[in-house]
Amino acid sequence: MSTETYGAGFFRDWLTAAAAAVDREAGRLTELDSAIGDADHGANLQRGFAAVAATLEKEPPATPGAVLTGAGRQLISTVGGASGPLYGTLLRRTGKALGDAERVSRTGLAEALAAGVAAVSRLGGARPGDKTMLDALGPAAEALGDSFAAAREAAEAGALATVPMLARKGRASYLGERSVGHQDPGATSSALLFAALADVAGAADAVEGTS
Amino acid sequence: MLINVPETVVDDGLRGFAAAHPELTVDVENRIVLRRDAPVAGQVALVSGGGSGHEPLHAGFVGPGMLAGACAGAIFTSPVPDQMVRAAAAVDSGAGVLFVVKNYTGDVLNFDMAAELTEDEGIQVAKVLVDDDVAVTDSLYTAGRRGTGATLFVEKIAGAAAEAGAPLERVESIARRVNARSRSFGVALSACTTPAKGSPTFELPDGELELGIGIHGEPGRERRPMMTSGEIADFAVDAVLQDLRPKGPVLALVNGMGATPLLELYGFNAEVQRVLGERGVPVARTLVGNYVTSLDMAGCSVTLCEADEDLLRLWDAPVSTPALRWGR
């Protein structure tokens, strides 16, 4: 299984599935954001990922790296707020790290994602435990070295772990102690990305298994 | 809500703004508002922007003597770098562009990216960060103080310097000076409702108020039983003065958050002036009105800026924008 590789089509499917997940969960993301932010995380990501999905369908890039860098640029140009530059940088840097390979392995993607996560941390200045998307992204990128399912679980656990945290970055940080007890919307949307990745990988494996 | 559908609120507003202000160039598709006479030869151009929902900030401050361009984002969401780059390219006369950026993570990240891209096009760019909100106490462990009412002071005063032909370094240093000498504190009597969510962004029962709020419907740091206008003025002005300690006269902005009647704001201003008098702080100029708002939030903020002769002269200089207009 570990020798499995994934091409541009898989990455397009991933981001399309992520767009669907964001669309489905937009209400919940906005609800979480209204508790400790400004009630727009769902709508903002919805707008960005819808644009990504539309572009991928119209002009599908040929390599995994190009799919991710293109999507990252699109998020930066359409989302705004903090999540636009942060998610845009995550995908752009991950895509750049993949280079122009036609196909990449799961472990290759895990390494590239680690570079993407590091870039997000540099840009936003957040560290693990600050109650941000990094608390889901970091553990997920690491667990992806083991399996897609482990990455999904690590992201979900990371998002849940933000509940008791005190926010130190982003808009929730203005609340001080009052940010405690709420799940971070950014960590929650990050978990959606990894759930979509695991779903698409599961589907790809199933197809592989039957052929 | 007086809207069609949530999805078109920002664009509908810009179309109406364009119809009301033919003296400005409004690019609805790219959500950019520009001085019609830009670029103005020899002049530094101020470009600002931010999430929508704070009107008249920023588009209402575009015009001679203030901003050359403003970019509107989605509600409470920073605009994207593409807008800022486009606005900067449209207004730069060759004298350079000053980005006025409110200190929020999103605004900072997007303007940083825009500054890099704008410089790549051979345009000189400087940035000033506005961070005046004293309600954010623990700046080391937060995203830092928020940019609120002082944005108006920075845009007006630095805009006057630019209009007078000051070079970019001077306009930038004046903008920094204004921000460094300004502090704000805000109070909410009700939460605001974003069109996308359709319900209040936080629960604030009748008979309670929220102290130290921001301008995005984010709750503040402390909730108390309702206070009188005079008690709120004592609290807000003291919070500002604890941090500012002005040695000379101040500019005062008594700002409404959107849903508080002007009558109440003027009454509140009387209390603010009383407190300042009791604390021995002379007031050089006062502005009362809804300038840096938070949709339909009820409440107010107080911004004070310690102003020397230089800054007062620039404050008094003519300005001609939809929201601020005097002189000439």
Side-chain angles (χ1 to χ4, degrees), chain A:
Chain A
M1 277 316 261
S2 58
T3 56
E4 188 83 55
T5 60
Y6 304 89
F10 172 86
F11 284 82
R12 288 201 300 271
D13 290 349
W14 171 25
L15 295 181
T16 306
V22 164
D23 199 44
R24 202 173 54 236
E25 299 288 331
R28 186 165 73 98
L29 294 175
T30 289
E31 197 64 44
L32 290 172
D33 195 28
S34 71
I36 57 172
D38 55 357
D40 64 3
H41 192 53
N44 289 344
L45 285 193
Q46 221 173 358
R47 183 173 63 244
F49 275 93
V52 166
T55 305
L56 284 177
E57 200 182 319
K58 217 166 52 199
E59 307 158 12
T63 65
V67 170
L68 295 186
T69 41
R73 260 200 300 273
Q74 182 117 40
L75 289 179
I76 291 170
S77 294
T78 50
V79 177
S83 51
L86 291 170
Y87 273 121
T89 296
L90 174 73
L91 295 187
R92 220 167 57 84
R93 289 306 177 93
T94 302
K96 273 189 164 177
L98 291 175
D100 50 12
E102 296 273 327
R103 302 186 69 80
V104 297
S105 66
R106 174 173 48 73
T107 49
L109 175 59
E111 280 168 31
L113 265 169
V117 172
V120 168
S121 177
R122 272 197 306 278
L123 182 66
R127 286 184 292 196
D130 283 349
K131 198 182 185 97
T132 70
M133 56 197 282
L134 275 181
D135 293 311
L137 291 177
E142 206 177 313
L144 187 59
D146 298 329
S147 71
F148 286 108
R152 175 214 291 259
E153 278 166 33
E156 274 164 16
L160 272 178
T162 62
V163 173
M165 288 177 186
L166 178 75
R168 296 202 191 281
K169 287 284 167 192
R171 223 163 256 173
S173 69
Y174 304 130
L175 289 173
E177 295 289 342
R178 284 166 70 177
S179 65
V180 172
H182 298 279
Q183 184 166 323
D184 182 64
T188 308
S189 56
S190 292
L192 290 180
L193 288 192
F194 281 92
L197 178 61
D199 283 346
V200 171
D205 285 351
V207 170
E208 191 70 24
T210 55
S211 62

Side-chain angles (χ1 to χ4, degrees), chain A residues 30-31 33-41 43-44 47 73 75-86 88-89 92 123-124 127 166-171 173-178, chain B residues 31 74-82 103-107 109-110 113 135-136 138 140-146 194 196-197 199-202 210-211 216-223:
Chain A
T30 289
E31 197 64 44
D33 195 28
S34 71
I36 57 172
D38 55 357
D40 64 3
H41 192 53
N44 289 344
R47 183 173 63 244
R73 260 200 300 273
L75 289 179
I76 291 170
S77 294
T78 50
V79 177
S83 51
L86 291 170
T89 296
R92 220 167 57 84
L123 182 66
R127 286 184 292 196
L166 178 75
R168 296 202 191 281
K169 287 284 167 192
R171 223 163 256 173
S173 69
Y174 304 130
L175 289 173
E177 295 289 342
R178 284 166 70 177
Chain B
R31 296 182 173 177
I75 290 191
F76 293 168
T77 300
S78 162
V80 299
D82 312 44
N103 187 33
Y104 299 96
T105 309
D107 294 77
L109 294 181
N110 285 284
M113 288 186 168
V136 182
D138 203 353
L140 197 59
Y141 296 108
T142 64
R145 287 185 165 174
R146 298 175 284 225
T194 61
K197 184 158 182 278
S199 56
T201 49
F202 61 95
E210 185 96 12
L211 297 166
H216 299 92
E218 65 269 48
R221 294 194 69 103
E222 197 187 335
R223 187 165 294 183

Side-chain angles (χ1 to χ4, degrees), chain B residues 49 62 91 110-111 137 207 229 256 261-262 318:
Chain B
V62 175
V91 297
N110 285 284
F111 269 105
T137 49
S229 179
L262 264 179

